[in-house]
Amino acid sequence: MALPFAVLISGRGSNLLALERATRDGRIDGRIVAVLCDRVDAAGIPAARALGLEASVLEAAQGMDRAAYGAALSAALEAGGARLVVLAGFMRILDAGFVRHWAGRLLNIHPSLLPAYRGLHTHRRVLEAGERIHGCTVHFVVEELDAGPIVIQGRLAVRPGEDEGSLSARVQRLEHIIYPRAVGWMAEGRLTWRDGTAYMDGAPLRPAIVEEEPCV
Ligand code: GRF
Protein backbone atom coordinates (compact mmCIF):
# COMPACT_ATOMS: atom_id res chain seq x y z
CA MET A 1 0.00 0.00 0.00
CA ALA A 2 1.27 3.48 -0.85
CA LEU A 3 2.90 5.07 2.20
CA PRO A 4 0.85 8.00 3.54
CA PHE A 5 3.24 10.81 4.47
CA ALA A 6 3.10 14.46 5.51
CA VAL A 7 5.39 17.29 4.48
CA LEU A 8 6.15 20.21 6.80
CA ILE A 9 7.21 23.48 5.20
CA SER A 10 7.84 27.11 6.11
CA GLY A 11 8.80 28.63 2.79
CA ARG A 12 8.90 28.15 -0.93
CA GLY A 13 8.19 24.44 -0.88
CA SER A 14 10.40 23.42 -3.79
CA ASN A 15 11.31 20.17 -2.04
CA LEU A 16 7.62 19.52 -1.42
CA LEU A 17 6.97 19.93 -5.14
CA ALA A 18 9.85 17.59 -5.98
CA LEU A 19 8.42 14.98 -3.59
CA GLU A 20 4.93 15.36 -5.02
CA ARG A 21 6.30 14.87 -8.54
CA ALA A 22 8.05 11.70 -7.39
CA THR A 23 4.78 10.29 -6.00
CA ARG A 24 3.20 10.83 -9.42
CA ASP A 25 5.96 9.37 -11.56
CA GLY A 26 6.42 6.27 -9.39
CA ARG A 27 9.76 7.06 -7.73
CA ILE A 28 7.91 7.14 -4.39
CA ASP A 29 5.27 4.53 -3.67
CA GLY A 30 3.51 6.95 -1.37
CA ARG A 31 1.02 9.75 -1.20
CA ILE A 32 1.14 13.10 0.52
CA VAL A 33 -1.77 13.15 2.95
CA ALA A 34 -1.01 16.52 4.53
CA VAL A 35 1.09 19.61 4.04
CA LEU A 36 1.50 21.61 7.22
CA CYS A 37 3.09 25.01 7.45
CA ASP A 38 3.86 27.28 10.41
CA ARG A 39 3.62 30.50 8.38
CA VAL A 40 0.52 31.89 6.79
CA ASP A 41 2.46 33.74 4.07
CA ALA A 42 4.59 30.82 2.81
CA ALA A 43 4.68 30.54 -0.97
CA GLY A 44 4.56 26.76 -0.64
CA ILE A 45 0.92 26.82 0.50
CA PRO A 46 -0.71 28.05 -2.72
CA ALA A 47 1.77 25.94 -4.68
CA ALA A 48 0.65 22.83 -2.77
CA ARG A 49 -3.04 23.64 -3.14
CA ALA A 50 -2.58 24.18 -6.87
CA LEU A 51 -1.52 20.52 -7.03
CA GLY A 52 -4.62 19.46 -5.13
CA LEU A 53 -2.77 18.79 -1.88
CA GLU A 54 -4.38 19.35 1.50
CA ALA A 55 -2.35 22.25 2.93
CA SER A 56 -2.99 23.78 6.37
CA VAL A 57 -1.37 26.46 8.43
CA LEU A 58 -0.54 25.73 12.02
CA GLU A 59 0.78 28.90 13.59
CA ALA A 60 1.97 28.96 17.17
CA ALA A 61 -0.70 30.64 19.27
CA GLN A 62 0.33 33.47 21.57
CA GLY A 63 2.26 32.11 24.53
CA MET A 64 2.27 28.55 23.18
CA ASP A 65 5.46 26.78 24.18
CA ARG A 66 7.41 24.35 22.04
CA ALA A 67 5.90 21.24 23.63
CA ALA A 68 2.33 22.47 23.17
CA TYR A 69 3.04 23.30 19.52
CA GLY A 70 4.59 19.85 19.02
CA ALA A 71 1.54 18.18 20.56
CA ALA A 72 -0.82 20.14 18.29
CA LEU A 73 1.32 19.27 15.28
CA SER A 74 1.37 15.57 16.18
CA ALA A 75 -2.39 15.57 16.60
CA ALA A 76 -2.86 17.11 13.15
CA LEU A 77 -0.44 14.60 11.59
CA GLU A 78 -2.10 11.63 13.26
CA ALA A 79 -5.53 12.90 12.20
CA GLY A 80 -4.27 13.10 8.61
CA GLY A 81 -3.10 9.49 8.79
CA ALA A 82 0.61 10.24 8.22
CA ARG A 83 3.01 7.36 8.84
CA LEU A 84 6.08 9.37 7.90
CA VAL A 85 6.83 13.05 8.50
CA VAL A 86 9.11 14.82 6.06
CA LEU A 87 10.61 18.18 7.08
CA ALA A 88 11.21 20.25 3.98
CA GLY A 89 12.46 23.68 5.01
CA PHE A 90 10.41 23.66 8.22
CA MET A 91 12.04 26.39 10.30
CA ARG A 92 10.60 25.64 13.72
CA ILE A 93 12.65 23.58 16.17
CA LEU A 94 10.63 20.57 17.27
CA ASP A 95 10.45 19.59 20.91
CA ALA A 96 11.85 16.37 22.37
CA GLY A 97 8.39 14.84 22.85
CA PHE A 98 7.55 15.31 19.18
CA VAL A 99 10.89 13.89 18.05
CA ARG A 100 10.55 10.87 20.34
CA HIS A 101 7.00 10.22 19.17
CA TRP A 102 8.03 10.20 15.49
CA ALA A 103 11.48 8.60 15.99
CA GLY A 104 12.42 6.64 12.90
CA ARG A 105 9.53 8.18 10.99
CA LEU A 106 10.89 11.72 10.80
CA LEU A 107 13.26 12.90 8.06
CA ASN A 108 14.90 16.27 7.43
CA ILE A 109 16.91 17.81 4.63
CA HIS A 110 19.79 20.12 5.49
CA PRO A 111 21.77 22.26 3.04
CA SER A 112 25.27 21.09 3.92
CA LEU A 113 27.33 17.95 4.06
CA LEU A 114 26.59 17.06 7.66
CA PRO A 115 28.20 16.82 10.15
CA ALA A 116 29.81 19.95 8.67
CA TYR A 117 27.89 23.22 8.85
CA ARG A 118 24.96 22.49 11.08
CA GLY A 119 22.61 25.44 11.59
CA LEU A 120 21.74 28.38 9.36
CA HIS A 121 23.33 30.23 6.41
CA THR A 122 25.28 27.21 5.33
CA HIS A 123 26.05 28.38 1.76
CA ARG A 124 27.46 31.70 2.96
CA ARG A 125 29.57 30.03 5.63
CA VAL A 126 30.88 27.45 3.16
CA LEU A 127 31.94 30.20 0.74
CA GLU A 128 33.53 32.28 3.51
CA ALA A 129 35.54 29.28 4.65
CA GLY A 130 36.77 28.65 1.11
CA GLU A 131 35.45 25.08 1.03
CA ARG A 132 35.89 23.19 -2.22
CA ILE A 133 33.13 20.64 -1.64
CA HIS A 134 29.58 21.29 -0.47
CA GLY A 135 26.13 19.71 -0.73
CA CYS A 136 23.06 18.58 1.16
CA THR A 137 22.02 15.81 3.50
CA VAL A 138 18.86 13.84 4.25
CA HIS A 139 18.92 12.49 7.78
CA PHE A 140 16.70 11.00 10.43
CA VAL A 141 15.77 13.57 13.04
CA VAL A 142 16.97 13.04 16.60
CA GLU A 143 16.75 15.39 19.55
CA GLU A 144 20.11 17.02 18.84
CA LEU A 145 19.76 19.50 15.97
CA ASP A 146 21.07 18.37 12.54
CA ALA A 147 22.63 15.30 14.12
CA GLY A 148 20.63 12.16 13.25
CA PRO A 149 21.79 9.21 11.11
CA ILE A 150 22.59 10.24 7.55
CA VAL A 151 20.60 8.56 4.79
CA ILE A 152 21.90 10.21 1.63
CA GLN A 153 24.02 13.19 0.61
CA GLY A 154 24.24 15.18 -2.61
CA ARG A 155 27.74 16.48 -3.27
CA LEU A 156 29.16 19.12 -5.61
CA ALA A 157 32.39 21.02 -6.21
CA VAL A 158 32.20 24.72 -5.36
CA ARG A 159 33.15 26.72 -8.46
CA PRO A 160 35.86 29.39 -8.29
CA GLY A 161 34.26 32.80 -7.74
CA GLU A 162 30.81 31.29 -7.20
CA ASP A 163 28.27 33.39 -5.28
CA GLU A 164 25.71 32.32 -2.70
CA GLY A 165 22.79 32.42 -5.16
CA SER A 166 24.42 30.09 -7.64
CA LEU A 167 25.62 27.71 -4.94
CA SER A 168 22.22 27.50 -3.27
CA ALA A 169 20.49 26.84 -6.62
CA ARG A 170 22.90 24.02 -7.41
CA VAL A 171 22.47 22.51 -3.94
CA GLN A 172 18.69 22.70 -4.29
CA ARG A 173 18.79 20.78 -7.55
CA LEU A 174 20.59 18.03 -5.65
CA GLU A 175 18.05 18.24 -2.82
CA HIS A 176 15.29 17.58 -5.33
CA ILE A 177 17.06 14.37 -6.36
CA ILE A 178 18.09 12.98 -2.98
CA TYR A 179 14.94 13.67 -0.96
CA PRO A 180 12.60 11.69 -3.23
CA ARG A 181 15.14 8.89 -3.20
CA ALA A 182 15.21 8.71 0.61
CA VAL A 183 11.42 8.88 0.93
CA GLY A 184 11.14 6.24 -1.80
CA TRP A 185 13.35 3.91 0.26
CA MET A 186 11.12 4.46 3.29
CA ALA A 187 8.04 3.68 1.22
CA GLU A 188 9.61 0.48 -0.09
CA GLY A 189 10.50 -0.58 3.44
CA ARG A 190 14.21 -0.67 2.56
CA LEU A 191 15.06 2.10 5.01
CA THR A 192 14.01 1.13 8.51
CA TRP A 193 14.54 2.03 12.14
CA ARG A 194 14.72 -0.29 15.11
CA ASP A 195 15.59 0.63 18.71
CA GLY A 196 17.27 3.89 17.75
CA THR A 197 19.32 2.45 14.87
CA ALA A 198 18.71 2.99 11.16
CA TYR A 199 19.04 0.15 8.64
CA MET A 200 19.20 -0.05 4.86
CA ASP A 201 18.19 -3.40 3.42
CA GLY A 202 18.59 -4.91 6.90
CA ALA A 203 22.20 -3.75 7.38
CA PRO A 204 23.25 -0.77 9.52
CA LEU A 205 22.74 2.38 7.45
CA ARG A 206 25.69 3.93 5.66
CA PRO A 207 25.25 7.27 3.88
CA ALA A 208 24.58 7.04 0.13
CA ILE A 209 26.24 9.69 -2.04
CA VAL A 210 24.97 11.35 -5.21
CA GLU A 211 27.42 13.52 -7.15
CA GLU A 212 26.20 16.49 -9.14
CA GLU A 213 26.06 15.70 -12.85
CA PRO A 214 28.57 17.91 -14.66
CA CYS A 215 26.89 20.53 -16.87
CA VAL A 216 27.38 20.00 -20.61
C1 GRF B 1 16.19 23.77 1.62
O1 GRF B 1 17.35 24.36 1.14
C2 GRF B 1 16.50 22.83 2.73
O2 GRF B 1 17.77 22.27 2.66
C3 GRF B 1 16.40 23.68 3.96
O3 GRF B 1 15.38 24.60 3.66
C4 GRF B 1 15.27 24.79 2.27
C5 GRF B 1 13.84 24.61 1.87
O4 GRF B 1 13.60 24.98 0.56
N1 GRF B 1 16.15 22.86 5.11
P1 GRF B 1 12.19 24.74 -0.13
O5 GRF B 1 11.16 25.46 0.73
O6 GRF B 1 11.96 23.26 -0.20
O7 GRF B 1 12.32 25.38 -1.47
Side-chain angles (χ1 to χ4, degrees):
M1 196 194 67
L3 177 73
F5 67 100
V7 184
L8 270 51
I9 63 168
S10 300
R12 216 155 56 94
S14 70
N15 279 284
L16 162 68
L17 302 187
L19 290 161
E20 192 275 341
R21 206 173 313 124
T23 62
R24 273 189 289 120
D25 69 20
R27 279 175 294 147
I28 298 175
D29 181 15
R31 61 197 166 84
I32 299 174
V33 290
V35 175
L36 289 173
C37 181
D38 62 332
R39 297 181 52 138
V40 72
D41 57 350
I45 298 171
R49 288 184 181 147
L51 291 170
L53 296 172
E54 188 72 46
S56 324
V57 178
L58 188 62
E59 281 185 303
Q62 191 101 39
M64 197 182 210
D65 66 13
R66 214 174 258 173
Y69 185 86
L73 195 56
S74 263
L77 293 164
E78 298 284 7
R83 287 188 22 230
L84 168 70
V85 178
V86 176
L87 306 180
F90 190 66
M91 295 306 287
R92 183 170 285 274
I93 295 174
L94 294 160
D95 70 289
F98 182 94
V99 173
R100 272 199 296 271
H101 178 74
W102 292 96
R105 304 179 295 156
L106 185 57
L107 293 177
N108 183 43
I109 190 154
H110 181 78
S112 79
L113 292 172
L114 291 173
Y117 297 97
R118 295 177 181 183
L120 298 173
H121 311 300
T122 55
H123 308 310
R124 190 188 313 159
R125 287 159 56 213
V126 159
L127 288 171
E128 281 167 3
E131 300 284 0
R132 310 270 297 271
I133 303 292
H134 183 38
C136 45
T137 302
V138 175
H139 64 96
F140 282 100
V141 176
V142 295
E143 283 179 47
E144 193 183 340
L145 206 59
D146 301 330
I150 293 172
V151 177
I152 183 167
Q153 295 186 306
R155 199 157 63 181
L156 53 73
V158 179
R159 294 181 183 143
E162 180 151 38
D163 65 17
E164 204 179 326
S166 152
L167 190 57
S168 99
R170 290 172 65 210
V171 170
Q172 277 231 312
R173 277 198 289 278
L174 278 171
E175 293 182 3
H176 301 162
I177 295 168
I178 66 170
Y179 221 176
R181 211 169 281 186
V183 174
W185 290 334
M186 291 291 291
E188 289 164 25
R190 296 182 61 190
L191 185 58
T192 53
W193 179 274
R194 209 172 51 246
D195 301 332
T197 305
Y199 297 86
M200 180 70 175
D201 296 328
L205 176 67
R206 292 176 42 199
I209 305 284
V210 170
E211 302 281 352
E212 181 187 50
E213 300 267 328
C215 289
V216 280

